[in-house]
Amino acid sequence: MIKTTQLRRLYEAAQRDARPQRFFDDLGSALQSRQLQLADFSLRALFEQFIPDGRELVDSWNPRHGGEGHSLQRLEESGAVTTGTFSRITGQIVYSAILDAFQAESFVFTPLVRTIPTQFNGEKIAGIARLGDESETVAEGRPYPHAGIAEDFLETPATTKRGMIVGLTREAVFFDRTNLLVQRTAEVGNWLGVNKEKRIIDCVIDENTQAHRYRWKGTTYATYQGATPWINTTATNPLVDWQSLDKAEQTMAGLVDPYTGEPILTDPRHLIVPRGLLYTARRIIGATEIRVQTPGFATTGNPTETVASNPVNGYQVVSSNLLTSRLANKGTWFIGDVSKAFAYMENWPLSVVQAPANSEVEFTHDIVLRWKASERGAAATLEPRYMARNLP
């Protein structure tokens, strides 16, 4: 466990150098790099070190020693103590715990999508349709032809705010329940992360809600189409071997730009599968060679086979239990480029704000400090033609 006397000396040194912010910057960096672990801290020791008469104040909270003790707010108003440094240190601990859980490695879809900052609650993104190959042979002395320009736009869904409040109780300080505070704050970060991950998954698979669907030029479309205006669904294509991927890639190869009619030049990078197909996907991607029976020769007895290196390469297998739980058909799988097809329209990233002292909440709930964590955004489909769905 970290010695809080060391923190106190470092803080006092920064104060003497007239650079108190340096202490908090270094503390935040150490927590982020995990040079300091959250469990290394002692809430009670921090309280006693950074609040004048902190030991006596904590002891006053013991009903055996005089009753309910003092309120931090009343003590601050009387000029007896300042909670600023203690609040900022515990705030760093709370923020680090929430952020670590919010960015957990188990969330595999969130890192794949682009984050686009926006100041709007849903916005209309205007653009110009691609020109296509309109170049023509220009005869000597003749004018160049004019390229046509068409308006294009898409609309992103309304953003939503998600958040929770976590409090530091007297008991957590008095009994030095540092791990309890870390667990509570980690739970806040975890569930905010789960919620964001689920919304992104719903956008990718386009099954559980229409809120994130592709809205192009005033019309809402399902991401995966089996007919016009584009075809990116293969109706019968269970994931079995490299030929399944070949069939899916041929579907994607047939996708064209709606204005130019030219093929969309993209290579699928992500192979998205539910848990039941995870090992099948890994086997297909990880195979070193394949064996193909030569067409026109016998298929029984001693068939002629061709041995070749695995033609499948460049895929990242993406799977999670959350994806599996949200798929209606557990045999459905996808290929494409998630980072090009989808985005997260973000009003503000995960933020943690400390509440001002509130004697009523402290009196009714024995809560010393409170923090509110929130983020606001929405998953959006920007171009469904970069994805393909495959049904078993």
Side-chain angles (χ1 to χ4, degrees):
M1 180 175 292
I2 189 170
K3 293 183 179 180
T4 51
T5 52
Q6 295 175 327
L7 281 181
R8 179 63 181 269
R9 286 197 293 269
L10 291 173
Y11 175 72
E12 290 174 344
Q15 288 277 64
R16 287 194 299 271
D17 294 340
R19 298 178 61 189
Q21 185 58 41
R22 181 188 64 188
F23 168 81
F24 296 104
D25 292 340
D26 292 344
L27 177 63
S29 298
L31 286 169
Q32 186 176 6
S33 64
R34 301 187 187 278
Q35 293 176 332
L36 291 178
Q37 298 293 326
L38 299 175
D40 289 340
F41 291 90
S42 163
L43 281 176
R44 180 161 181 159
L46 283 172
F47 195 94
E48 293 175 351
Q49 284 290 323
F50 284 93
I51 292 183
D53 299 323
R55 182 171 300 176
E56 290 76 11
L57 178 57
V58 172
D59 193 54
S60 75
W61 289 343
N62 188 343
R64 290 178 178 272
H65 298 167
E68 287 296 316
H70 300 289
S71 160
L72 283 183
Q73 185 185 29
R74 283 190 282 110
L75 288 171
E76 280 191 318
E77 290 171 350
S78 67
V81 301
T82 174
T83 63
T85 306
F86 172 75
S87 299
R88 292 191 67 177
I89 294 175
T90 51
Q92 290 272 24
I93 296 173
V94 167
Y95 177 74
S96 296
I98 291 176
L99 185 63
D100 284 352
F102 185 73
Q103 297 178 337
E105 294 181 359
S106 57
F107 302 141
V108 296
F109 285 87
T110 299
L112 295 182
V113 300
R114 288 176 290 164
T115 297
I116 300 178
T118 175
Q119 297 180 351
F120 303 100
N121 182 21
E123 63 178 298
K124 183 177 181 179
I125 302 177
I128 297 176
R130 301 183 68 183
L131 297 177
D133 186 4
E134 294 188 7
S135 59
E136 299 178 8
T137 301
V138 181
E140 183 178 353
R142 302 299 298 172
Y144 285 86
H146 288 278
I149 295 178
E151 181 185 10
D152 190 21
F153 67 90
L154 62 90
E155 297 170 80
T156 62
T159 59
T160 55
K161 178 174 63 178
R162 301 293 198 283
M164 295 183 188
I165 292 176
V166 62
L168 173 63
T169 64
R170 288 185 179 185
E171 288 86 353
V173 177
F174 185 81
F175 295 111
D176 199 13
R177 293 176 178 170
T178 308
N179 289 334
L180 180 62
L181 176 64
V182 172
Q183 291 169 11
R184 285 177 177 171
T185 53
E187 279 288 291
V188 170
N190 175 71
W191 288 112
L192 288 175
V194 167
N195 184 275
K196 182 178 180 180
E197 179 86 348
K198 286 163 64 174
R199 285 181 285 139
I200 292 174
I201 289 174
D202 287 347
C203 185
V204 172
I205 67 176
D206 190 22
E207 281 192 5
N208 300 308
T209 178
Q210 296 188 17
H212 310 297
R213 280 189 167 176
Y214 183 53
R215 187 167 177 80
W216 178 47
K217 299 180 69 173
T219 303
T220 301
Y221 297 91
T223 302
Y224 303 101
Q225 299 281 338
T228 56
W230 63 84
I231 300 175
N232 62 346
T233 295
T234 307
T236 306
N237 189 25
L239 185 62
V240 178
D241 54 22
W242 66 272
Q243 296 179 85
S244 305
L245 279 170
D246 181 35
K247 190 174 181 180
E249 289 180 6
Q250 290 186 44
T251 297
M252 289 200 72
L255 292 168
V256 298
D257 185 279
Y259 289 100
T260 67
E262 297 283 354
I264 294 178
L265 303 179
T266 184
D267 292 322
R269 299 193 301 126
H270 302 115
L271 172 56
I272 302 170
V273 297
R275 181 60 182 82
L277 296 176
L278 177 58
Y279 287 169
T280 300
R282 288 177 177 173
R283 171 177 54 80
I284 295 171
I285 301 301
T288 57
E289 64 181 33
I290 62 171
R291 296 176 180 270
V292 183
Q293 291 185 356
T294 305
F297 289 83
T299 58
T300 60
N302 295 310
T304 302
E305 289 185 329
T306 299
V307 178
S309 59
N310 186 4
V312 179
N313 57 70
Y315 278 99
Q316 174 186 348
V317 178
V318 182
S319 182
S320 76
N321 292 338
L322 279 176
L323 168 68
T324 306
S325 68
R326 305 189 76 74
L327 275 173
N329 188 324
K330 309 306 181 187
T332 303
W333 55 284
F334 308 81
I335 65 168
D337 192 331
V338 175
S339 60
K340 289 183 177 180
F342 310 101
Y344 191 76
M345 310 300 294
E346 184 179 78
N347 293 134
W348 64 76
L350 178 70
S351 61
V352 180
V353 180
Q354 182 176 315
N358 189 320
S359 59
E360 180 65 22
V361 173
E362 184 178 350
F363 180 78
T364 58
H365 295 78
D366 280 341
I367 293 177
V368 179
L369 296 171
R370 291 183 300 158
W371 296 271
K372 177 179 65 180
S374 70
E375 66 91 20
R376 180 165 183 148
T381 303
L382 301 185
E383 180 47 82
R385 297 171 184 86
Y386 287 123
M387 294 294 298
R389 178 179 64 177
N390 300 271
L391 304 175

